[in-house]
Amino acid sequence: MRVALPRRPRVPGLFVLVIALILSFCSPGALLAQAGAAKTRTTLIIFSERRMRDEEWSALFDALKRGSASEAARAPALSGGAEFLRGDQMARGLEVSRPISVYLHGDCSLLPMVRTFSPGALGWVWRVHGQIEPFIHVECGEIALVLGPTAMGLDRKRRETLMSEAMARVILHEWIHVATQNPKHAREGVEKAQFSLADLLAYDEEVRRDPRILRRRWNL
């Protein structure tokens, strides 16, 4: 995973779309933190490039809740808690004080496949004029390439669980960059620059008990 560092501000069509969606649904006060609030919850508004089933959304939100609670002690930036919203179901006039937009690229459904090549970046954020912008990008297609061989022989529900846990792991990684405004990485945990398959599925008990998976490692 990487933090992209453009030399000058970039506002691709994707950003324009996301910003327009947020502004169309949120009141002007939605982008400002409430004055004097000791702790303000972050709101992650998640947009999917392709249609996701309700069960996939539920699995992703469950994984994000488990993951953020699990990482809060090691990553204080996540300790304030968060609300997770579907971008396609936002209520008009909704007010949030600390929004982060998450855009899911590609097909987020996991299908069994044979590994053919090493995937690229799983997620990224942009830093412009020294500020890491509150926009998280997740490459579902690249995550599926990593998980594809592991999905062999699994039913749809189990594949949804693995995919959602991996997506959540990537989102948490980039969320910490945004929350801390720090592009650096750690040697261990969710803030690592490179993930093995075991790192990507670190919240999954069944995966942690499987030595075959723990031996697999790729630089992402």
Side-chain angles (χ1 to χ4, degrees):
M1 285 175 283
R2 59 182 167 83
V3 177
L5 307 175
R7 294 184 178 180
R8 62 178 182 274
R10 289 189 55 178
V11 186
L14 174 58
F15 281 173
V16 173
L17 173 62
V18 173
I19 293 171
L21 284 170
I22 292 176
L23 293 180
S24 68
F25 285 109
C26 300
S27 67
L31 304 181
L32 299 175
Q34 296 178 357
K39 277 191 176 181
T40 308
R41 288 170 62 88
T42 299
T43 300
L44 271 66
I45 307 168
I46 304 175
F47 301 89
S48 179
E49 188 174 69
R50 299 191 185 181
R51 184 180 178 276
M52 289 173 55
R53 299 167 49 251
D54 290 342
E55 292 82 359
E56 291 174 316
W57 281 108
S58 296
L60 175 58
F61 287 173
D62 288 345
L64 282 168
K65 291 172 184 176
R66 291 195 306 271
S68 58
S70 175
E71 295 295 338
R74 293 181 291 271
L78 305 181
S79 62
E83 183 179 11
F84 307 104
L85 301 177
R86 288 175 55 168
D88 61 347
Q89 292 186 351
M90 288 177 58
R92 187 174 297 277
L94 175 69
E95 292 193 12
V96 295
S97 54
R98 291 174 56 187
I100 296 177
S101 297
V102 180
Y103 201 89
L104 308 177
H105 298 269
D107 189 350
C108 296
S109 299
L110 176 59
L111 298 175
M113 67 180 75
V114 177
R115 173 168 291 279
T116 56
F117 59 91
S118 297
L122 305 183
W124 73 92
V125 290
W126 290 104
R127 190 173 70 175
V128 179
H129 298 315
Q131 296 293 313
I132 298 177
E133 298 184 324
F135 299 97
I136 294 172
H137 297 268
V138 177
E139 287 287 355
C140 286
E142 302 295 336
I143 295 174
L145 287 177
V146 178
L147 300 183
T150 307
M152 295 289 189
L154 302 181
D155 60 26
R156 185 170 69 179
K157 184 174 181 180
R158 180 62 178 148
R159 294 199 306 270
E160 288 175 355
T161 297
L162 293 183
M163 188 68 181
S164 63
E165 290 178 349
M167 291 163 62
R169 188 79 165 169
V170 175
I171 292 171
L172 291 173
H173 175 100
E174 304 299 350
W175 177 7
I176 292 173
H177 281 311
V178 174
T180 61
Q181 289 294 299
N182 185 353
K184 295 182 180 180
H185 295 96
R187 292 184 178 181
E188 299 180 350
V190 73
E191 297 180 67
K192 291 172 61 174
Q194 298 177 320
F195 278 9
S196 68
L197 180 58
D199 292 319
L200 201 57
L201 298 175
Y203 306 130
D204 193 282
E205 291 291 342
E206 184 175 333
V207 168
R208 286 202 292 266
R209 293 194 300 266
D210 189 339
R212 296 171 302 170
I213 294 176
L214 295 178
R215 284 197 296 265
R216 299 171 183 163
R217 181 172 292 273
W218 297 277
N219 291 331
L220 308 181

